[in-house]
Amino acid sequence: MEVAGVSAPTVTVFITSSLNSFRSEKRYSRSLTVAELKCKLELVVGSPASCMELELYGADDKLYSKLDQEDALLGSYPVDDGCRIHVIDHSGVRLGEYEDVSRVEKFELSPEAYERRQNTVRSFMKRSKLGPYNEELQAQQEAKAAQRLSEEKAQASAISVGSRCEDSQISSQAIGSVSSMMSR
């Protein structure tokens, strides 16, 4: 009797790179060619496909093979769930170069310049009278808050100092059973 192995059409692998220190978990179709896989890996590791060298490691972190046949299918290699594909970059970029955000020039805009712009969320909200720019809604909310505060003050003034408090959740039966237990 002959047993034929059937593998899933997709495989979940970990991606590591010589460019960064983190690893990603991705799922790819076994029917991808190595060239197509490299194109997808460009978005993950930041290295151009033409500068990539791929190595396949098993779940035990042992090197299985190099993925060096551009037209070979990913499924033709011994890749399985939990394996790791390591991307070696030959473009000349240094390790961690894409991770250092302190070297990225940030776009900054003064509050006055932002206020002058017409295509901003703030200008849209002002034109549409939404959120804090809706004076009628703001007045209603302030009136509700003032009413709630006056009600709380009235309730607080009705409580005399030294009065006992009772939690409405506790029934008188529970209080009676507690006092009978304490008298024993």
Side-chain angles (χ1 to χ4, degrees):
M1 182 167 115
E2 187 176 322
V3 177
V6 177
S7 59
T10 60
V11 63
T12 303
V13 294
F14 294 102
I15 307 298
T16 57
S17 169
S18 62
L19 290 179
N20 49 46
S21 57
F22 60 88
R23 72 186 212 169
S24 303
E25 184 177 358
K26 297 288 183 182
R27 177 174 286 164
Y28 294 109
S29 171
R30 291 178 193 267
S31 63
L32 282 175
T33 65
V34 171
E36 292 169 333
L37 176 65
K38 285 182 177 182
C39 290
K40 290 186 180 287
L41 290 175
E42 275 188 61
L43 303 173
V44 178
V45 299
S47 176
S50 61
C51 299
M52 286 184 192
E53 179 182 335
L54 303 181
E55 295 177 336
L56 177 64
Y57 290 85
D60 56 356
D61 227 23
K62 191 171 103 180
L63 178 65
Y64 281 1
S65 68
K66 290 188 178 285
L67 305 180
D68 51 4
Q69 300 294 320
E70 296 284 320
D71 57 343
L73 297 179
L74 179 60
S76 67
Y77 289 96
V79 64
D80 207 357
D81 287 344
C83 285
R84 178 173 63 97
I85 296 175
H86 183 70
V87 179
I88 300 171
D89 177 70
H90 295 292
S91 68
V93 177
R94 294 186 320 264
L95 173 66
E97 189 168 331
Y98 295 133
E99 296 175 12
D100 186 6
V101 294
S102 66
R103 296 178 39 201
V104 177
E105 185 179 331
K106 296 179 176 81
F107 176 75
E108 293 183 8
L109 190 63
S110 70
E112 296 81 24
Y114 184 77
E115 191 66 39
R116 287 192 302 268
R117 288 185 170 213
Q118 296 300 311
N119 60 344
T120 64
V121 171
R122 185 182 301 161
S123 65
F124 172 77
M125 290 177 71
K126 282 182 179 180
R127 283 192 310 269
S128 303
K129 297 186 191 264
L130 297 173
Y133 305 105
N134 185 339
E135 294 161 3
E136 186 178 307
L137 180 63
Q138 291 297 319
Q140 287 176 358
Q141 288 178 345
E142 288 173 12
K144 283 182 183 178
Q147 181 183 0
R148 193 175 336 116
L149 182 62
S150 65
E151 288 172 0
E152 288 176 3
K153 282 184 179 180
Q155 289 174 349
S157 65
I159 300 173
S160 60
V161 176
S163 296
R164 297 190 70 174
C165 297
E166 182 179 325
D167 188 353
S168 62
Q169 300 292 325
I170 301 177
S171 67
S172 57
Q173 291 175 341
I175 292 173
S177 64
V178 169
S179 17
S180 67
M181 290 173 63
M182 293 178 75
S183 62
R184 290 184 191 167

